[in-house]
Amino acid sequence: MRRRSLLLAAVPAGLVTLAGCGGGKSNSGKASASPSPSVSSAPPPKIVEGPLPAITAGTKFGEKPTVAKGPGEPSKDLAVKTVIAGSGRTVVENDFVQANYLGQIWSTGKVFDNSYDKGRPLILQLAQGTVIDGWRYALTGKKTGSRVQIAVPPAYGYGKSGEPQAGIKGTDTLVFVIDVIDSFNSKSSAQGKPVPQTDAALPKVATNTDGTVPKVTVPKTAPPKKLVSTYVLEGDGPALKADQTVLCQFQGLVWDGGKTFQRTYGSGRLSQFSLEQMQQAVKGLAQGLTGKKVGSRVLVVVPPELGYGDNPPSGGVIKKGATLVFTVDILAAM
C-alpha cells in the first residue's frame, strides 16, 4: 500500500480535474498519516543558516542521504542551507515542484518519511495550505538542481498537534534534505520533439511549447470507433505506469463541432490526477496515457464506450454518445 506523503496538507489549490474525477481516491493512494487540511496563521519565519545536522553519507544530488542527529538545541527559526547549488529555473511560490526528500526528527534522528526508497519523486505545489510552511518558505527562490537542507520548527511544520501516526510530537523540530529536480507552473508545456501528423482521419494538433493553448483542428468526418493515442511531441522521460499520478496541461474537446469542454492551458492552473482515478471517470484517457513518455504531448481520441457513454456531465457540451478529443502535455509523474 502506498502512503500519501506527510508533507501534503491538502489537495493542492488551483488544481483542475476532469468532470467525474472528484471524490475519488487520494491521488497517491490511501493516507495512513497525513495532516489535516489547514491554512497556517503563523507569520512568515525568520530564515537562519543553522544549526543543521551533518549529512554523513549519500552526499551527492539524487543519492539517499544519511543525516546525523541534531546537534544540541534547534533554532526556533527556520534553518535553511543550500548544500548543492543548482543552475536551473528559480522556484517561485505556487509552482509545482518535483523533488526527492528525506525527513527525520531532530532530537532522535528517526527517519519518518523519504521518497528515495520508493523510487518516485514527490510532486507538490508550494502553496499555502497545500504543503507544510517550512517547505513553502525554504524552497521559494531556490533553483532546480539544488540540494537544500532545512530544520523546521513546529510552527512551520505540523504545529502543536504534531503528526502522531508518524511519531512526530508537537514539540519536534523536523530535518529535511530535499533534492529539487524540477519545477512547473501554468506556462509549462511539453518539450518533446514533433512527430509527423500524417493521418488525415485524426485531429491535427499544434506543436507550440510556450504554455498557450495548442490549436486542435478536428476533421469533419466520422470519428474513429476505437481508442487512438498518438504522440504530437515525443518526450524522452520514463513511460507512465498505470498506478502513477500525472501532472499535466490538458484540453478536452467534443469531436462533433470541436467545442472545448475543459482545459488548463491559459487558465493559470495545472491538472494533477492519478491514472487509477481517471479509470473511473474517463477510462479511455487513462488507457491512452498509460505507457506514454513524460515530456510528451499526446493526442487521445476516446470513443463513447471509453468516455462518458450515455451518462455525460450535466449542463455541458458533451452529449450522449460523444467521442472526445484530448491533448495532454505530460509534465511529470509520480
Side-chain angles (χ1 to χ4, degrees):
M1 178 187 298
R2 297 192 312 282
R3 187 178 72 187
R4 188 183 182 196
S5 168
L6 294 172
L7 297 168
L8 301 176
V11 177
L15 292 185
V16 58
T17 52
L18 296 177
C21 277
K25 294 186 289 185
S26 164
N27 63 12
S28 56
K30 294 183 179 178
S32 59
S34 65
S36 301
S38 63
V39 177
S40 172
S41 59
K46 178 182 179 181
I47 295 179
V48 296
E49 294 182 354
L52 285 163
I55 301 173
T56 59
T59 57
K60 295 180 180 179
F61 185 91
E63 292 182 341
K64 179 184 176 182
T66 300
V67 184
K69 199 165 65 169
E73 289 298 315
S75 173
K76 296 186 184 301
D77 298 313
L78 178 63
V80 180
K81 178 182 179 181
T82 300
V83 181
I84 299 171
S87 58
R89 197 173 82 86
T90 300
V91 176
V92 301
E93 189 168 358
N94 294 315
D95 276 0
F96 284 83
V97 171
Q98 183 180 43
N100 274 312
Y101 69 96
L102 178 140
Q104 67 183 48
I105 297 172
W106 175 281
S107 60
T108 64
K110 177 187 175 184
V111 175
F112 59 83
D113 203 5
N114 90 91
S115 66
Y116 298 92
D117 290 343
K118 302 180 181 83
R120 291 183 178 180
L122 180 70
I123 300 169
L124 52 76
Q125 190 180 24
L126 294 182
Q128 188 175 27
T130 73
V131 64
I132 61 172
D133 279 344
W135 271 56
R136 182 165 66 94
Y137 288 114
L139 295 186
T140 297
K142 302 301 182 185
K143 291 184 180 293
T144 58
S146 296
R147 167 168 282 192
V148 182
Q149 185 181 17
I150 64 177
V152 182
Y156 301 101
Y158 300 103
K160 295 180 180 179
S161 60
E163 184 54 47
Q165 290 174 296
I168 299 171
K169 301 191 297 290
T171 55
D172 282 333
T173 289
L174 308 178
V175 178
F176 292 95
V177 176
I178 307 160
D179 287 337
V180 184
I181 300 168
D182 210 344
S183 68
F184 308 93
N185 59 31
S186 60
K187 295 182 180 179
S188 297
S189 285
Q191 299 293 322
K193 295 181 179 179
V195 175
Q197 302 178 60
T198 58
D199 191 340
L202 294 179
K204 296 296 183 291
V205 183
T207 57
N208 54 292
T209 59
D210 57 358
T212 59
V213 186
K215 182 180 179 181
V216 179
T217 304
V218 181
K220 299 183 184 302
T221 56
K225 294 183 178 180
K226 294 184 178 181
L227 178 70
V228 174
S229 178
T230 185
Y231 287 116
V232 176
L233 300 171
E234 185 172 359
D236 57 5
L240 290 179
K241 297 179 180 178
D243 64 346
Q244 287 190 287
T245 293
V246 181
L247 179 69
C248 66
Q249 294 265 29
F250 84 94
Q251 63 181 323
L253 306 91
V254 178
W255 182 285
D256 290 336
K259 288 185 178 180
T260 301
F261 59 85
Q262 199 165 20
R263 74 183 185 202
T264 59
Y265 302 101
S267 71
R269 298 172 291 181
L270 295 176
S271 179
Q272 189 176 25
F273 55 82
S274 76
L275 293 178
E276 289 176 338
Q277 187 183 45
M278 187 56 67
Q279 280 277 2
Q280 308 303 313
V282 183
K283 184 178 293 185
L285 182 56
Q287 293 178 0
L289 292 179
T290 301
K292 290 296 188 282
K293 298 175 187 176
V294 174
S296 300
R297 176 171 298 161
V298 182
L299 168 68
V300 184
V301 182
V302 179
E305 63 272 17
L306 295 177
Y308 293 111
D310 291 332
N311 296 291
S314 60
V317 300
I318 305 173
K319 307 303 180 185
K320 289 183 178 181
T323 293
L324 308 178
V325 178
F326 294 96
T327 70
V328 183
D329 283 21
I330 306 170
L331 302 177
M334 70 174 183

